[in-house]
């Protein structure tokens, strides 16, 4: 290790990253971090206006960036996202599966349509996006996949059980992807955030947010930008010997 190699550890210059759910919250924070590290960015979410605004923000940070409106539950849309990325930037080096929905229904009255919608975005979306991007990831020399799980996958989740189950499935897929794609030089890891100051969390009653903060060892919820360091580690050469892992970024929630 010397100063030059050290400075390149987190450098993403010349690499292209897709970030789903990349227009706000954790996804936008990760996209901004990757932009600052030199990556080219493609942000995807359902709303065209949000995609355009996020891409403009990333360009302000000096990155080449585009927004591609995409419904993560639509397999054809996922293929279009991949092809648009490749057409604009020549390939794909990093995929961050961040988009999710948090449908809440009690188990006793859970509806089949709701389960299908939840798993369509939270499980099938990441799976089929990676499948579509696989030829480009196989062609790269620094390919990495980052799946965003949740501490809900490891805890009781009486109101959010379908969300928690979907995130648990995604963590399982992460381990299997890491094993299956290792021979192709593709690393696959996951992050499991705890409560983060995003729209998803702020949509809860204040007393619920306070309870989530109190459940951490650090006594607070996280800022979205506190997810960036771990994401950079897992998607850059700094994490070149890490694959098949789930990193808890939860302020000590699960430990407690």
């Amino acid at each position: 290790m010397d100063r030059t190699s050290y400075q390149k550890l987190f450098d993403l210059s010349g690499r292209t990253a897709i970030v789903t759910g990349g227009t706000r919250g954790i996804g936008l924070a990760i996209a901004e971090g990757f932009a600052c590290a030199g990556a080219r960015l493609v942000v995807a979410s359902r709303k065209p206006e949000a995609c355009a605004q996020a891409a403009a923000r990333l360009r302000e940070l000096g990155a080449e960036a585009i927004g591609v409106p995409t419904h993560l539950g639509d397999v054809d849309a996922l293929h279009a996202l991949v092809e648009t990325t490749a057409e604009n930037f020549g390939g794909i080096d990093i995929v961050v599966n961040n988009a999710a929905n948090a449908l809440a229904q009690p188990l006793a009255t859970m509806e089949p349509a709701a389960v299908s919608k939840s798993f369509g975005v939270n499980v099938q979306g990441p799976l089929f996006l990676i499948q579509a991007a696989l030829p480009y990831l196989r062609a790269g020399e620094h390919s990495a996949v980052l799946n965003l799980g949740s501490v809900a996958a490891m805890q009781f989740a009486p109101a959010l059980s379908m969300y928690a189950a979907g995130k648990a499935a995604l963590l399982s897929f992460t381990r299997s992807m890491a094993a299956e794609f290792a021979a192709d030089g593709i690393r696959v890891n996951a992050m499991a955030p705890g409560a983060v100051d995003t729209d998803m969390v702020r949509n809860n009653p204040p007393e619920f947010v306070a309870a989530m903060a109190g459940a951490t060892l650090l006594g607070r919820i996280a800022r979205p930008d506190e997810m960036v360091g771990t994401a950079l580690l897992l998607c850059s050469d700094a994490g070149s010997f890490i694959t098949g892992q789930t990193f808890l970024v939860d302020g000590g929630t699960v430990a407690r």
Side-chain angles (χ1 to χ4, degrees):
M1 178 64 65
D2 57 26
R3 184 173 294 276
T4 299
S5 59
Y6 171 78
Q7 290 173 336
K8 290 182 178 179
L9 278 177
F10 295 94
D11 184 14
L12 299 180
S13 296
R15 302 182 199 181
T16 298
I18 294 174
V19 182
T20 69
T23 62
R24 60 181 182 172
I26 294 173
L28 180 57
I30 290 174
E32 289 176 344
F34 284 12
C36 292
R40 298 179 289 252
L41 271 301
V42 178
V43 289
S45 75
R46 289 177 301 165
K47 299 179 180 179
E49 302 85 358
C51 287
Q53 290 173 2
R57 164 62 181 157
L58 297 173
R59 288 193 291 270
E60 288 175 359
L61 294 173
E64 294 180 69
I66 60 172
V68 181
T70 308
H71 191 297
L72 270 292
D74 181 343
V75 175
D76 290 338
L78 298 177
H79 282 272
L81 169 61
V82 166
E83 294 311 313
T84 299
T85 301
E87 288 168 6
N88 278 269
F89 296 129
I92 300 168
D93 302 284
I94 299 166
V95 177
V96 179
N97 281 308
N98 170 70
N101 65 37
L103 289 174
Q105 291 186 353
L107 285 162
T109 56
M110 196 171 287
E111 299 169 355
V115 175
S116 294
K117 181 177 180 180
S118 179
F119 275 63
V121 172
N122 295 340
V123 183
Q124 292 178 187
L127 169 63
F128 291 120
L129 176 55
I130 296 307
Q131 198 177 81
L134 199 53
Y136 299 103
L137 293 171
R138 282 175 169 154
E141 296 182 357
H142 305 273
S143 297
V145 173
L146 177 60
N147 295 322
L148 269 291
S150 170
V151 294
M154 304 165 195
Q155 298 177 303
F156 300 111
L160 289 169
S161 55
M162 75 174 88
Y163 170 78
K167 289 301 188 181
L170 184 58
L171 298 185
S172 180
F173 269 127
T174 296
R175 294 187 290 270
S176 296
M177 287 177 181
E180 191 162 331
F181 301 147
D184 297 311
I186 303 167
R187 297 185 301 105
V188 186
N189 291 290
M191 288 171 54
V196 181
D197 189 12
T198 63
D199 291 344
M200 185 182 293
V201 169
R202 285 191 294 269
N203 285 337
N204 291 287
E207 60 272 19
F208 188 77
V209 177
M212 286 191 284
T216 70
L217 290 175
L218 296 181
R220 62 179 178 85
I221 64 175
R223 303 184 310 273
D225 62 10
E226 290 182 290
M227 304 296 112
V228 174
T230 304
L232 273 171
L233 168 65
L234 295 176
C235 292
S236 69
D237 290 348
S240 59
F241 203 58
I242 303 171
T243 197
Q245 304 302 308
T246 296
F247 277 47
L248 290 169
V249 191
D250 68 345
T253 301
V254 171
R256 183 166 192 172

